[in-house]
Amino acid sequence: MIPYTKKILPNGLTVVVNRDRASKLAAVNILYKVGARNEDPRRTGFAHLFEHLMFRGTREIPNFDLPVQMASGDNNAFTNNDYTDFYITLPKDNLETALWLESDRMEGLDITPAKLEAEKKVVIEEFRQRYLNQPYGDQTMLLRALAYKVHPYRWAAIGLTTDHIAEATLEDVEAFYRTHYRPSNAVLSISADIEEERMLELAEKWFAPLADRPADAAPIPQEPAQTEARREEVERDVPAPTVTVAYHMGGRTDAGFYTADLVSDLLAGGDSGRLYTHLVKERRLLSSVNAYVTGDVDPGLFVFTGQLLPGVTPGEAEAAFREEIETLQTASAAAREIEKVKNKFEANTLFGELNVMNKAMNLGFYEMLGDLALINREVGLYRAVGDDDIRSFSSRTFRPENSSTLIYNTKK
């Protein structure tokens, strides 16, 4: 159980605080409700580019990292398709340093042509190294483009192409900053051994003076229901072929999300998971295998993926996946098997609550979802999943017409 207090400042900033009496550190997390899903299809990769630009200094603070280091702190950030997250941990007595820095760059970012060009080069190089110049690098990009035809989930946070970043103008990025980096589009969450009222006072001190910049965000097109199976085969210079099959499922707050998550753990919860046991150890079809849910805010994907052993054809791997799916749809799971997965989920959740930064991040995430109280209900929702739910979800989701299959072949 994570206790918290929430307050919305007059400028629209949502502040959530938690007193952690066991930690000597303070964790400050600021989440901006902007990710790849908020980008123009003609200008992708901007959310990720801005993650980089936010560390390039402001008019008041040219070097963001230096004050953090002087306060004995550490900081970083990440971007995904749904949001961008910045976080700082430092001794609790230095909490105001983090609030000062984050409030300053919320409105005072100093974007110069030189800084923009420097970060564009960094992002383009990252795109090439992570997605274009390593084995299997473009696999998730190809899968997204196959599974989504309308929704912006069809591209990764890095973007569709390096050209979109290379062609970005100063006016483009300034407009993106004004639209998305503002108090009413952000969630500030803090966890520290400080009275909650005091943390709220400090948040108000540093953030309340900031003016909001109301902006009309473009509506996000929703993906229509898939009505026929999709398939793509590519050849790449990789050591072994892979087969990946994705099925559309509900979003992060969908009633069936915890069933989907539990099913993925039944299938791929370590070496005792069904896929590893049956397809790697017993049948020796695959050298590695996984099943996971993407966990996106909007309807996401349930993905099966495996790397083939020599002599195994993609068709054999696909058939093996179908057999596992048919078992989920028709046979009851053993009570002991389900309980083991639930216990692991609960243990991981409780263990995560011991970390001050995990708590700050999760408070921001669940508030972004629109259901902050969910942070303390998840274990119960997961534990409530029954055998009937598993069969119903599997029958509803794992249908051929709802599938997108990507065959990643080795070059001949």
Side-chain angles (χ1 to χ4, degrees):
M1 178 70 72
I2 299 177
Y4 58 81
T5 300
K6 171 183 167 181
K7 182 176 183 179
I8 300 177
L9 303 186
N11 59 12
L13 177 69
T14 300
V15 183
V16 186
V17 297
N18 154 260
R19 183 165 190 178
D20 182 341
R21 298 178 183 273
S23 179
K24 300 299 182 184
L25 296 174
V28 175
N29 191 82
I30 188 152
L31 180 153
Y32 290 94
K33 301 175 187 178
V34 55
R37 72 200 281 266
N38 305 103
E39 295 169 344
D40 185 325
R42 299 162 298 179
R43 285 286 183 269
T44 62
F46 273 49
H48 178 245
L49 174 63
F50 251 89
E51 176 200 324
H52 287 253
L53 286 170
M54 287 287 277
F55 289 94
R56 294 291 288 185
T58 68
R59 292 182 290 272
E60 297 295 327
I61 308 166
N63 185 334
F64 183 89
D65 289 333
L66 183 58
V68 176
Q69 294 166 1
M70 293 178 68
S72 302
D74 188 29
N75 72 103
N76 214 326
F78 62 87
T79 310
N80 59 35
N81 283 68
D82 294 313
Y83 62 95
T84 304
D85 197 272
F86 300 87
Y87 53 94
I88 302 175
T89 53
L90 70 183
K92 67 176 186 177
D93 292 341
N94 296 337
L95 172 62
E96 283 198 81
T97 297
L99 299 178
W100 162 58
L101 289 167
E102 291 294 3
S103 63
D104 179 62
R105 69 175 171 178
M106 182 178 280
E107 73 167 8
L109 193 63
D110 185 23
I111 309 172
T112 66
K115 291 178 181 178
L116 176 58
E117 288 305 312
E119 290 308 322
K120 283 163 63 172
K121 291 178 182 177
V122 171
V123 171
I124 289 170
E125 183 61 22
E126 180 181 347
F127 193 121
R128 289 171 177 158
Q129 290 297 321
R130 291 181 58 187
Y131 295 90
L132 303 182
N133 296 337
Q134 67 168 304
Y136 310 105
D138 66 345
Q139 188 169 3
T140 57
M141 302 177 80
L142 292 170
L143 184 66
R144 284 181 178 276
L146 184 63
Y148 292 101
K149 301 304 178 185
V150 173
H151 196 286
Y153 287 161
R154 67 183 186 272
W155 61 83
I158 197 72
L160 277 170
T161 169
T162 57
D163 291 344
H164 288 180
I165 296 301
E167 295 167 4
T169 67
L170 191 61
E171 291 75 17
D172 289 334
V173 296
E174 286 177 340
F176 193 88
Y177 180 55
R178 289 192 301 271
T179 299
H180 300 290
Y181 283 78
R182 50 190 170 86
S184 62
N185 202 45
V187 180
L188 170 66
S189 50
I190 308 169
S191 183
D193 187 13
I194 300 172
E195 290 184 3
E196 291 187 341
E197 283 302 317
R198 178 56 180 161
M199 287 189 278
L200 290 172
E201 288 173 2
L202 292 174
E204 191 160 6
K205 170 185 173 181
W206 288 103
F207 287 89
L210 304 184
D212 197 31
R213 302 185 295 271
D216 294 326
I220 296 172
Q222 295 303 297
E223 189 72 15
Q226 186 173 329
T227 58
E228 60 182 11
R230 297 170 185 161
R231 187 179 186 86
E232 182 177 0
E233 296 196 30
V234 298
E235 286 189 359
R236 296 288 189 271
D237 186 12
V238 293
T242 65
V243 172
T244 304
V245 187
Y247 296 87
H248 290 280
M249 57 168 278
R252 187 59 177 77
T253 58
D254 185 83
F257 176 80
Y258 297 98
T259 302
D261 199 32
L262 188 147
V263 169
S264 73
D265 288 338
L266 281 176
L267 292 170
D271 290 352
S272 62
R274 292 183 180 185
L275 295 181
Y276 187 85
T277 299
H278 298 158
L279 307 188
V280 176
K281 291 199 298 188
E282 296 175 358
R283 300 178 63 181
R284 298 187 178 277
L285 296 173
L286 306 173
S287 60
S288 63
V289 68
N290 196 14
Y292 61 91
V293 296
T294 54
D296 300 306
V297 171
D298 289 337
L301 299 174
F302 191 110
V303 181
F304 293 77
T305 187
Q307 189 173 103
L308 279 58
L309 283 171
V312 178
T313 67
E316 290 175 305
E318 291 179 76
F321 283 150
R322 284 196 298 270
E323 289 175 27
E324 295 297 329
I325 286 170
E326 288 170 4
T327 300
L328 287 168
Q329 294 171 333
T330 59
S332 295
R336 183 176 178 276
E337 182 184 26
I338 296 176
E339 187 64 20
K340 177 183 176 182
V341 170
K342 290 179 177 180
N343 289 342
K344 182 178 179 181
F345 177 87
E346 182 171 6
N348 288 340
T349 300
L350 295 176
F351 183 76
E353 291 180 1
L354 300 177
N355 183 287
V356 67
M357 179 47 73
N358 281 352
K359 284 195 280 192
M361 280 188 175
N362 285 337
L363 287 167
F365 173 74
Y366 288 98
E367 174 59 27
M368 182 270 299
L369 286 180
D371 188 0
L372 179 54
L374 182 60
I375 194 171
N376 292 320
R377 301 200 318 270
E378 280 207 315
V379 170
L381 292 170
Y382 197 92
R383 283 213 163 272
V385 176
D387 186 56
D388 289 344
D389 299 311
I390 294 170
R391 289 198 300 273
S392 176
F393 168 82
S394 300
S395 298
R396 188 173 65 251
T397 305
F398 303 138
R399 296 173 289 109
E401 65 271 22
N402 189 40
S403 68
S404 297
T405 302
L406 175 65
I407 308 298
Y408 208 84
N409 287 311
T410 55
K411 280 189 176 180
K412 296 177 182 178

